[in-house]
Amino acid sequence: MQFILLPTPLIASHPNMLNCSKILSKTLKQKPNSKKRKSKSKPKTLKSRNPNYSLEGDDEAFALKPSASSTTNHGVQPLGNLYLTSNGHNSRDSGLGDLKILTDELVLEILGFLDGIHLGILGTVSRSLYVFCCHEPIWRNLVLEKFGGGFVFNGSWRGTYVEICCLGFDVSRVKGDSVVIRDFYSDYLFQSWFCAGIEMREEWICRDNVARRRGISVEEFRREFEEKNRPVLLEGCMDDWDAMRRWERRYLVETCGDVRFAVGPVEMRLEDYFVYADNVREERPLYLFDPKFVKKAPILGAQYDVPVYFREDLFSVLGDERPDYRWIIIGPAGSGSSFHIDPNSTSAWNAVIKGSKKWVLFPPDVVPPGVHPSPDGAEVACPVSIIEWFMNFYSETKNWKKKPIECVCKAGEVIFVPNGWWHLVINLEESIAITQNYVSRRNLLNVLDFLKKPNASDLVSGTSDRVNLHDKFKRAIEVSCPGTIDQLLRKEEEKTANAKKLPFWDAATDSNAGAFKFSF
């Protein structure tokens, strides 16, 4: 069988044609451009290869999206299926030759050193190498590194690369590639396709235990939620926003024109990003997440107002020197943010203008399952995709004493995310949102403590002056709000002293009350 990966003109025109052995040796001298998975969890053994199947195992069922097809992953099956075959043959190993001893991750890491030309050449050597060389994340890296945001996505990263490099070539020969390789088994490659193709299960969405409030006073919000560091979903505080009425696709594209917004590592026009969002079928869709959107498109900043509950923002005393604090967020279904804690110990609010988002939040003293922060908090290792976390870890939380706070935040609703809380967010449909991080008197001391940590240069984000931010902020607060820091310190000392005097039975009764209680 002959495999066509790149057009002949593109391959033949390359001035320094390398044979396959030279290609592999050359990789050792270049910088890698692909990332390894940090989670080693594996999908369940499957028997069916029907693209419309539901996958079942251990009383669980997964439904594939209509767009998912076994041809899009070239027929790759999970490794467990190998043990159900009669011949025990894995074409993955026979096609790799001596390289079969390498893990799939390492093979892809090596291929990540290659450019498109050499990936095309190597993909013609064997069926196994063809599958590896077609791995979409490799081509995604190539497109983003070579063309930045200047591309129009045509349904696959490989097809997009070829279309840009070879004008006039019939890209359907690549885009519509339906070659299926028999007897190819790989957990790693299968899971990448599987996570991109399954629907969110109802049980992952339906749990809703967040406090909901409409029309509460600022004083009640501060007393019941901000001071207690508890999440809450607020309704009715976006009703008068122009953004709620205007921010449809057509309006945003016409209004923003050629303005480029931050999308992952590149910047794209909204028109091009929406084309991508309509056609994407990948495990980790690119997310439009831009902290400079008001400077780039001032009219957008004029079409929403900070809800009254969050208007005390002490970081504003720094003026233009304050860290990044507001973002416009746009993404297709399946995009989102994996578990993280908001930067600089700030609290945040997130307002959904279009679409809906599933939220999972854990209190500061509970690390989510599958998440492994470094001792200093500078790095976090977690599953490569949000879907992978739901598949492998979500069920663990059912029996936890401190269950996560969960909800679906819909258009017109705002969620308050207290400082220090772990949270994961996934878009259930194409969504547009605004989020801002802020500092109020309720968490000012926490922020100051965070900014003066010994490893602040690693922890502080959103500013170029990480080391001096604490001193700048403290001085600005003392000038703008004299006596505030001393007053808060005295109040904290009194609170600590009173907590030590709490009678035993009062403490025991309080601990069994069933509500979250945190001290900072």
Side-chain angles (χ1 to χ4, degrees):
M1 181 181 294
Q2 182 179 4
F3 302 108
I4 299 176
L5 180 62
L6 290 177
T8 301
L10 179 61
I11 297 177
S13 63
H14 196 271
N16 299 312
M17 187 62 65
L18 299 176
N19 62 38
C20 294
S21 61
K22 290 183 179 179
I23 291 174
L24 292 177
S25 64
K26 184 180 178 182
T27 64
L28 301 179
K29 301 177 182 179
Q30 300 184 25
K31 182 180 179 181
N33 57 10
S34 61
K35 294 182 179 180
K36 293 183 179 180
R37 287 180 180 269
K38 293 185 178 180
S39 172
K40 301 300 182 182
S41 53
K42 299 178 180 179
K44 296 178 171 46
T45 299
L46 310 177
K47 294 182 180 180
S48 173
R49 292 176 63 184
N50 186 324
N52 297 315
Y53 52 51
S54 288
L55 313 180
E56 298 183 0
D58 297 339
D59 298 324
E60 298 179 356
F62 301 96
L64 287 178
K65 299 174 183 176
S67 60
S69 168
S70 60
T71 60
T72 59
N73 78 328
H74 306 290
V76 174
Q77 301 176 63
L79 188 59
N81 283 20
L82 175 62
Y83 304 107
L84 303 177
T85 63
S86 58
N87 57 18
H89 172 68
N90 189 351
S91 61
R92 180 246 184 228
D93 294 343
S94 58
L96 285 180
D98 291 342
L99 298 180
K100 67 183 180 181
I101 63 172
L102 303 180
T103 64
D104 293 344
E105 296 94 323
L106 186 53
V107 171
L108 292 171
E109 190 77 14
I110 294 172
L111 296 182
F113 288 99
L114 303 182
D115 59 22
I117 299 291
H118 296 121
L119 279 173
I121 298 169
L122 195 60
T124 64
V125 172
S126 70
R127 291 175 174 83
S128 183
L129 283 170
Y130 174 76
V131 173
F132 280 104
C133 289
C134 288
H135 192 52
E136 277 285 275
I138 297 178
W139 293 94
R140 168 167 144 163
N141 289 340
L142 285 174
V143 171
L144 298 181
E145 289 179 3
K146 187 168 184 177
F147 307 112
F151 66 90
V152 177
F153 188 72
N154 68 10
S156 79
W157 289 106
R158 188 163 54 107
T160 300
Y161 184 92
V162 173
E163 189 170 54
I164 297 174
C165 291
C166 296
L167 297 177
F169 177 74
D170 182 8
V171 75
S172 64
R173 297 168 66 188
V174 174
K175 179 181 176 183
D177 186 359
S178 59
V179 175
V180 175
I181 307 301
R182 296 185 60 183
D183 301 325
F184 191 109
Y185 304 94
S186 165
D187 278 334
Y188 188 88
L189 295 179
F190 178 82
Q191 178 139 322
S192 179
W193 167 82
F194 183 55
C195 288
I198 67 170
E199 300 275 9
M200 285 284 289
R201 297 174 60 189
E202 178 62 26
E203 70 175 66
W204 298 344
I205 301 173
C206 65
R207 192 188 299 175
D208 189 325
N209 58 356
V210 72
R212 293 175 177 267
R213 297 290 187 274
R214 174 183 286 270
I216 63 173
S217 65
V218 174
E219 291 73 21
E220 182 180 352
F221 166 75
R222 290 175 177 173
R223 181 180 66 254
E224 296 300 322
F225 300 102
E226 200 174 31
E227 290 184 359
K228 295 180 180 180
N229 217 44
R230 294 174 55 207
V232 62
L233 191 146
L234 301 165
E235 302 171 347
C237 48
M238 301 168 56
D239 295 345
D240 59 347
W241 286 14
D242 286 342
M244 291 293 296
R245 294 180 288 275
R246 297 190 179 189
W247 284 19
E248 302 288 348
R249 274 192 178 194
R250 182 175 179 180
Y251 173 81
L252 292 173
V253 169
E254 291 177 351
T255 300
C256 298
D258 291 330
V259 174
R260 292 178 177 268
F261 294 91
V263 178
V266 301
E267 293 195 336
M268 298 177 66
R269 298 186 310 151
L270 280 180
E271 183 175 11
D272 294 336
Y273 180 73
F274 285 134
V275 171
Y276 164 80
D278 284 339
N279 293 282
V280 63
R281 295 186 303 274
E282 59 184 333
E283 186 179 8
R284 294 174 298 157
L286 292 173
Y287 209 17
L288 191 153
F289 202 84
D290 197 312
K292 308 296 183 186
F293 76 100
V294 173
K295 290 184 179 179
K296 296 176 179 179
I299 190 172
L300 299 184
Q303 293 176 345
Y304 79 94
D305 296 304
V306 176
V308 64
Y309 309 104
F310 314 111
R311 290 181 182 170
E312 182 186 56
D313 186 359
L314 299 178
F315 254 149
S316 63
V317 299
L318 290 174
D320 293 338
E321 291 187 281
R322 70 173 299 168
D324 294 337
Y325 70 103
R326 58 185 173 186
W327 293 263
I328 185 173
I329 310 172
I330 304 177
S335 60
S337 300
S338 56
F339 275 110
H340 64 283
I341 295 174
D342 278 342
N344 306 327
S345 198
T346 56
S347 297
W349 57 269
N350 186 295
V352 179
I353 297 170
K354 301 293 180 185
S356 57
K357 297 172 178 285
K358 167 69 180 184
W359 285 77
V360 182
L361 306 96
F362 287 86
D365 61 336
V366 179
V367 178
V371 176
H372 306 283
S374 61
D376 62 359
E379 296 182 355
V380 177
C382 59
V384 71
S385 70
I386 299 170
I387 288 291
E388 186 179 346
W389 184 84
F390 275 101
M391 286 174 53
N392 296 296
F393 300 103
Y394 179 78
S395 61
E396 292 184 22
T397 67
K398 291 180 179 179
N399 300 319
W400 282 25
K401 184 176 181 179
K402 288 187 176 180
K403 293 181 174 62
I405 298 295
E406 301 182 45
C407 67
V408 173
C409 191
K410 301 177 181 179
E413 298 177 337
V414 179
I415 188 169
F416 165 62
V417 183
N419 69 290
W421 278 67
W422 292 94
H423 52 283
L424 167 153
V425 189
I426 183 169
N427 291 320
L428 302 179
E429 56 188 309
E430 181 175 285
S431 300
I432 302 174
I434 292 290
T435 188
Q436 290 195 188
N437 290 68
Y438 73 102
V439 181
S440 70
R441 283 174 170 80
R442 268 63 59 191
N443 71 325
L444 175 59
L445 296 183
N446 291 319
V447 172
L448 288 172
D449 287 343
F450 181 89
L451 297 180
K452 69 178 181 181
K453 287 187 175 183
N455 58 338
S457 59
D458 297 322
L459 297 178
V460 175
S461 64
T463 178
S464 58
D465 192 2
R466 300 180 176 186
V467 176
N468 299 313
L469 182 60
H470 171 269
D471 294 340
K472 286 182 179 180
F473 184 38
K474 186 176 181 180
R475 284 196 299 267
I477 288 292
E478 290 171 342
V479 171
S480 302
C481 310
T484 297
I485 295 177
D486 291 338
Q487 181 183 1
L488 291 173
L489 287 172
R490 287 195 298 270
K491 184 177 180 181
E492 187 67 19
E493 290 173 357
E494 292 173 2
K495 182 179 178 181
T496 301
N498 290 334
K500 291 180 179 179
K501 296 177 182 179
L502 191 65
F504 172 79
W505 288 113
D506 288 348
T509 301
D510 182 74
S511 67
N512 292 322
F516 289 114
K517 180 180 180 181
F518 307 105
S519 298
F520 294 89

